[in-house]
Amino acid sequence: MKKTTRVCVIGGGVVGCSVLYHLTKLGWSDVMLVERSELTSGSTWHAAGGFHTLNGDTNMAALQGYTIRLYKELEELTGMSCGLHHVGGVTLADTPERMDMMLAERAKHRFMGLDTEIVTPDEIQKISPITNIEGVIGGLYDPLDGHLDPSGTTHAYAKAARMGGAEIVIHNPVKETNQRADGTWDVVTEKGTIHAEHIVNAGGLWAREVGAMAGVYLPLHPMEHQYLVTEETPEVYERDSELPHVMDPGGESYLRQEGRGICIGFYEQRCDPWAVDGTPQDFGHELLENKLDRISESVEFAFNRFPVLQRAGIKTIINGPFTFAPDGNPLVGPVPGLRNYWSACGVMAGFSQGGGVGLSLAQWMIEGEAERDVHAMDVGRFGDWITPDYTRPKVVENYQRRFSVSYPNEELPVAREWNTTPMYDIWKEQGAVFGAQFGMEVVNYFAADGEADYETPTFRRSNAFEATAREVMAVRNSVGINEVHNFGKYRVTGAGSRAWLDRIMAGRIPKVGRISLTPMLSARGKILGDFTVTCLSEEEFLLTASFGMQAIHMRYFEQNTDNGVSIENISTKRIGFQIAGPKARDVLAACTNADVSHDAFKFMDAKHIDLGGIPALVQRVSYTGDLGYEIYVDANQQVALYETLSKAGAEFNMKPFGMRAMMSLRLDKGFGSWNAEFSPDYLPAETGMDRFTSYDKPADFIGKAAAIAERDAGPTRHLCTFEVDADDTDVGGYEPIWVDGKVVGFCTSGGYSHYAQKSIAFAFIPSDLVDTDFSAKIEILGKMCKATRLDTVLFDLENSRMRS
């Protein structure tokens, strides 16, 4: 065993071996893997081995497609068999809501290049004759679905890695991981200490324990999972071809052929978390005690859906643990707060996602960033507020919902009220219906007396529609108040602050008392954040951005920090409100003796003002596109500030509004949103963020060369706004755009403008279409809806309200 290495991967399951292989594939040969037992010990060896592309996140689906296509390459490279069975698979829909989900997923697949199709019950019967189609409305067929040999595939990854120069050491438990002052690591193992520049935690069932060695908590938890294998069944072995996969979400089951029998697994409601107090160190190739009573209801349902099971004897029962993160996606990337420590764990669908995880992490380590936006699996998507008591019930919830319909407007109920502001009870008294962002309760809308205090999950317009309309019109006609705690906020101080911001941000850094908008870019010019920068003094700045990106943004700041600069996350320390609408200035003026007239307080100004005796930072800017102000105070003064604003606003009929109204109001001005119009998938010029990018500023900001190259070459696509002829369903994101019978682009987000009473969509189209007169359609839930490009904004074309 060598004593020094560039990368030490801890864990020899399919994910660890995939990471090791991809590191060698991308050029790092001085890498090694240490495994406590044999390769595949843990979850890998007893996995059912199924793979599929279906995933609600398009980038995750694309990475799953990469994983599946990689297996043939591995076989050719190593000469080993992965035991591939590309049999195809169909997901059943037995309710209109589940059919809506299938239609939405099929639409996404069109622009992704995935060859899936919607099938009828009769077609399902032909695809899978053993399926009882009673009650089935339709389904989604994917020819890429299949299964493989978990052990053979893992060993193929391992052989390919060895061929690239990697070393693998088995039967070598890790005892400690200790970081040196220079950021490198000493990995203390049973066979000696390894000095590594980087560590990758691919510990699987033991990832929590491996993380604890470095003083980090990784939010994941193992769950027990059962599947059955039947004895030889004539309906299986008398066929000329192998049975396809069938996923029956209504019955919480997945089914495939196993030899001459059937394998069927369940995601049952009466599920059990495993190893609550930690994974035993001596666990490896064991199975857990069978608990057939736990899946009795699911088995009964399956006997009806697949009657052949009633005649098939059970040969084997597998009950083994798999790890899950709170949202079911992997935990991948650099762990916030640690140098050179990487996560590759929580990958419960290792044979669907392992290749994509390995590729993305290797790109991240070697090239500085992954080629795709991997936020859905970024370990930094969870902040330091998360604890085991949050993780475990969310993991249970996710397990139970593995086959549930995922609605775009759904707010899940488990582990709520985890983090609230002082305004929570006040808003609740006023009928607030809350959602959650990054663990924080956020008002979505306010229900009136007699209206349900719960938003119905749906792919169509929900019961929040009328309430949202009221709130939008309150802002447009008078004035509304909205809490602004759901911004990530950072205080940057020190003599080098301006120079650092000039390097870290692509846009202009404002003068004292002014505000600017700017993207933050990666080295490749991809958008990592859209920021508001406020200059409070030459040595103090306030940054605001997406609330859910706190850990990720802080990680990036720390990776690119300069001497003489201090960055503090004050997201929940400084909170407050925004007031917006034509009467917003009147409300502000009624709270202070300060001059807040237009001449004294211009658009994009920032001032320290006392409001009712409360010291506040007031910024004249608003995401509503109306006259508006953002007001920040210390958290302990928020309620007092509200009482001051509420009292002053009564004269002007000021009404509270939530995030549903905010996202409608922004449509009127064509304002993009983070993780929709702006993300690491996109570059500045194609999104319109080039107007906030200072290409010619002297500072050599991160991503400057790539951004200039995009500008000079001209983007190949442009973000545009469309009015959509929609009935009761608006664009949510990733719907394809059709022109002349071909898919030419896709939507990033959309919704209903209650002010203009129009359905609106943002979408990317090819640059050569921008200046042409084309006729477009957007596919929404299987229906082709006419889409007309808008050349102007819907509200305040001259910006007279916002700048007045």
Side-chain angles (χ1 to χ4, degrees):
M1 182 183 77
K2 59 185 179 182
K3 300 299 182 183
T4 62
T5 186
R6 192 168 199 173
V7 181
C8 180
V9 178
I10 302 173
V14 64
V15 174
C17 291
S18 172
V19 170
L20 194 72
Y21 161 65
H22 282 93
L23 287 171
T24 63
K25 184 178 182 180
L26 270 60
W28 280 11
S29 59
D30 181 19
V31 296
M32 67 184 300
L33 180 150
V34 293
E35 160 58 38
R36 58 183 298 279
S37 182
E38 298 280 355
L39 296 184
T40 76
S41 297
S43 296
T44 298
W45 79 271
H46 62 73
F51 54 78
H52 57 88
T53 59
L54 186 63
N55 191 295
D57 182 275
T58 55
N59 281 317
M60 289 296 296
L63 288 172
Q64 289 176 198
Y66 164 82
T67 300
I68 295 167
R69 295 183 181 100
L70 176 65
Y71 292 133
K72 288 185 178 180
E73 178 184 323
L74 274 179
E75 289 185 328
E76 293 172 359
L77 177 65
T78 64
M80 298 180 65
S81 173
C82 293
L84 290 176
H85 296 255
H86 276 289
V87 296
V90 61
T91 302
L92 308 180
D94 57 358
T95 65
E97 293 78 14
R98 203 176 300 281
M99 197 66 215
D100 280 348
M101 181 178 173
M102 297 298 102
L103 290 166
E105 291 304 310
R106 173 64 186 107
K108 293 177 186 178
H109 294 166
R110 291 193 194 277
F111 77 85
M112 293 171 62
L114 295 174
D115 189 25
T116 59
E117 60 180 295
I118 296 295
V119 288
T120 66
D122 287 343
E123 290 171 321
I124 293 170
Q125 183 75 77
K126 293 177 182 178
I127 293 169
S128 175
I130 69 168
T131 302
N132 175 8
I133 59 172
E134 181 182 355
V136 173
I137 298 173
L140 181 70
Y141 178 74
D142 185 348
L144 276 181
D145 272 17
H147 58 276
L148 46 65
D149 170 22
S151 178
T153 300
T154 304
H155 283 278
Y157 273 125
K159 181 175 180 180
R162 288 191 181 104
M163 291 170 64
E167 179 180 358
I168 297 176
V169 183
I170 61 175
H171 297 292
N172 191 26
V174 173
K175 297 180 176 181
E176 299 177 19
T177 57
N178 302 311
Q179 190 164 41
R180 296 186 182 185
D182 64 356
T184 63
W185 291 85
D186 286 326
V187 182
V188 182
T189 76
E190 197 169 86
K191 295 182 180 180
T193 298
I194 304 162
H195 180 215
E197 182 180 347
H198 300 272
I199 286 179
V200 176
N201 181 348
L205 292 174
W206 295 268
R208 293 175 297 173
E209 287 72 25
V210 172
M213 294 177 188
V216 64
Y217 171 65
L218 294 171
L220 52 84
H221 196 90
M223 295 291 295
E224 296 187 20
H225 179 65
Q226 290 189 121
Y227 65 89
L228 317 177
V229 179
T230 74
E231 296 175 343
E232 293 187 356
T233 308
E235 288 88 343
V236 173
Y237 63 75
E238 290 180 353
R239 286 174 50 88
D240 293 332
S241 60
E242 188 172 351
L243 282 169
H245 285 204
V246 180
M247 283 188 283
D248 181 21
E252 303 169 341
S253 72
Y254 58 89
L255 175 145
R256 66 168 176 82
Q257 184 171 331
E258 174 68 18
R260 291 161 65 90
I262 293 171
C263 170
I264 183 167
F266 305 94
Y267 283 90
E268 69 282 4
Q269 295 301 298
R270 291 189 289 157
C271 54
D272 291 323
W274 182 73
V276 172
D277 297 322
T279 303
Q281 287 301 310
D282 59 354
F283 187 81
H285 282 83
E286 299 86 357
L287 290 173
L288 307 179
E289 179 186 356
N290 297 330
K291 297 181 179 178
L292 287 177
D293 60 324
R294 193 175 64 199
I295 59 173
S296 59
E297 295 172 3
S298 296
V299 169
E300 182 179 352
F301 195 100
F303 276 17
N304 180 62
R305 179 65 69 210
F306 310 104
V308 64
L309 294 173
Q310 300 175 27
R311 302 184 294 276
I314 297 176
K315 181 173 71 175
T316 308
I317 303 171
I318 303 292
N319 185 24
F322 291 86
T323 56
F324 294 74
D327 59 4
N329 280 338
L331 300 173
V332 179
V335 174
L338 290 179
R339 291 171 62 191
N340 299 339
Y341 192 100
W342 304 79
S343 175
C345 55
V347 190
M348 59 75 52
F351 294 98
S352 292
Q353 300 173 340
V357 166
L359 173 68
S360 298
L361 189 64
Q363 289 175 335
W364 212 334
M365 296 178 72
I366 296 172
E367 301 169 9
E369 56 188 289
E371 63 179 302
R372 292 182 176 274
D373 177 11
V374 292
H375 179 265
M377 62 180 182
D378 190 334
V379 65
R381 71 188 183 275
F382 298 108
D384 58 9
W385 50 270
I386 200 166
T387 70
D389 287 336
Y390 177 92
T391 298
R392 188 164 52 255
K394 292 298 287 186
V395 164
V396 170
E397 177 186 56
N398 179 268
Y399 183 97
Q400 293 170 328
R401 291 181 48 79
R402 180 70 177 162
F403 283 144
S404 295
V405 178
S406 297
Y407 297 98
N409 70 323
E410 189 168 20
E411 299 287 351
L412 300 180
V414 172
R416 294 296 298 274
E417 301 183 20
W418 195 257
N419 198 357
T420 63
T421 70
M423 283 296 299
Y424 180 79
D425 289 336
I426 295 174
W427 290 142
K428 205 166 187 178
E429 283 292 319
Q430 296 183 35
V433 178
F434 290 90
Q437 295 182 20
F438 204 61
M440 173 67 76
E441 293 295 309
V442 177
V443 177
N444 280 338
Y445 68 97
F446 291 86
D449 290 343
E451 291 181 341
D453 60 355
Y454 172 76
E455 183 176 8
T456 303
T458 178
F459 285 93
R460 302 169 192 274
R461 292 173 187 162
S462 77
N463 60 321
F465 190 79
E466 295 299 329
T468 302
R470 291 194 301 268
E471 294 169 24
V472 165
M473 298 315 296
V475 172
R476 289 287 182 248
N477 293 331
S478 183
V479 59
I481 183 169
N482 170 265
E483 198 171 358
V484 288
H485 60 305
N486 57 326
F487 285 148
K489 297 174 282 292
Y490 314 93
R491 182 172 178 261
V492 180
T493 56
S497 296
R498 179 175 289 277
W500 179 74
L501 286 169
D502 231 357
R503 182 175 67 84
I504 207 84
M505 299 293 174
R508 179 183 58 83
I509 307 305
K511 298 178 181 180
V512 175
R514 294 287 289 169
I515 302 167
S516 69
L517 306 178
T518 172
M520 183 173 73
L521 306 180
S522 73
R524 292 179 178 170
K526 299 294 185 72
I527 301 172
L528 299 182
D530 58 325
F531 281 80
T532 300
V533 180
T534 305
C535 181
L536 303 175
S537 75
E538 283 300 329
E539 296 190 7
E540 183 179 3
F541 294 81
L542 174 68
L543 311 180
T544 57
S546 169
F547 189 77
M549 291 291 288
Q550 289 174 56
I552 293 172
H553 283 158
M554 282 298 295
R555 180 180 66 197
Y556 191 74
F557 295 156
E558 290 166 358
Q559 289 171 344
N560 294 280
T561 191
D562 285 346
N563 292 331
V565 179
S566 176
I567 307 119
E568 180 187 4
N569 184 352
I570 59 170
S571 298
T572 56
K573 294 179 182 178
R574 294 283 285 177
I575 54 180
F577 306 92
Q578 70 163 316
I579 53 174
K583 297 297 183 181
R585 180 183 288 114
D586 297 314
V587 173
L588 188 66
C591 298
T592 182
N593 293 323
D595 185 356
V596 295
S597 65
H598 169 70
D599 292 337
F601 201 168
K602 293 182 172 59
F603 180 64
M604 301 298 276
D605 273 356
K607 295 180 180 292
H608 285 101
I609 297 175
D610 277 1
L611 299 176
I614 303 163
L617 171 65
V618 184
Q619 302 186 158
R620 189 177 162 189
V621 65
S622 175
Y623 191 52
T624 66
D626 217 312
L627 171 65
Y629 305 86
E630 293 176 358
I631 306 168
Y632 298 101
V633 295
D634 289 340
N636 61 4
Q637 294 181 307
Q638 187 191 27
V639 172
L641 173 64
Y642 173 75
E643 291 172 351
T644 296
L645 292 170
S646 181
K647 182 178 179 180
E651 178 183 349
F652 307 100
N653 197 30
M654 184 172 71
K655 300 293 185 183
F657 66 101
M659 289 305 299
R660 295 283 185 263
M662 176 78 83
M663 297 308 285
S664 175
L665 289 160
R666 62 114 185 179
L667 299 174
D668 302 340
K669 298 291 287 184
F671 289 166
S673 175
W674 179 254
N675 212 29
E677 287 66 54
F678 312 129
S679 85
D681 276 332
Y682 310 134
L683 297 160
E686 65 186 3
T687 60
M689 287 293 278
D690 52 341
R691 60 185 172 142
F692 301 118
T693 302
S694 298
Y695 295 98
D696 299 326
K697 73 177 183 178
D700 186 20
F701 61 83
I702 297 172
K704 186 174 187 178
I708 289 174
E710 183 212 17
R711 179 199 64 183
D712 292 348
T716 58
R717 60 187 180 185
H718 274 83
L719 186 65
C720 300
T721 307
F722 291 84
E723 178 184 344
V724 187
D725 286 354
D727 296 326
D728 63 342
T729 308
D730 303 300
V731 159
Y734 297 110
E735 293 85 352
I737 294 187
W738 295 76
V739 175
D740 295 332
K742 296 180 180 179
V743 175
V744 300
F746 64 95
C747 298
T748 53
S749 72
Y752 189 78
S753 164
H754 289 276
Y755 168 77
Q757 298 185 30
K758 299 176 185 291
S759 183
I760 303 299
F762 296 115
F764 278 113
I765 62 171
S767 297
D768 57 9
L769 281 180
V770 171
D771 295 322
T772 66
D773 185 17
F774 64 92
S775 177
K777 294 182 179 179
I778 296 177
E779 182 181 353
I780 306 177
L781 299 186
K783 180 180 179 182
M784 295 296 185
C785 301
K786 180 183 177 183
T788 305
R789 186 185 169 194
L790 297 175
D791 295 320
T792 62
V793 297
L794 300 171
F795 168 74
D796 192 21
L797 178 60
E798 303 298 326
N799 289 325
S800 58
R801 285 264 284 262
M802 190 164 61
R803 296 176 178 271
S804 66

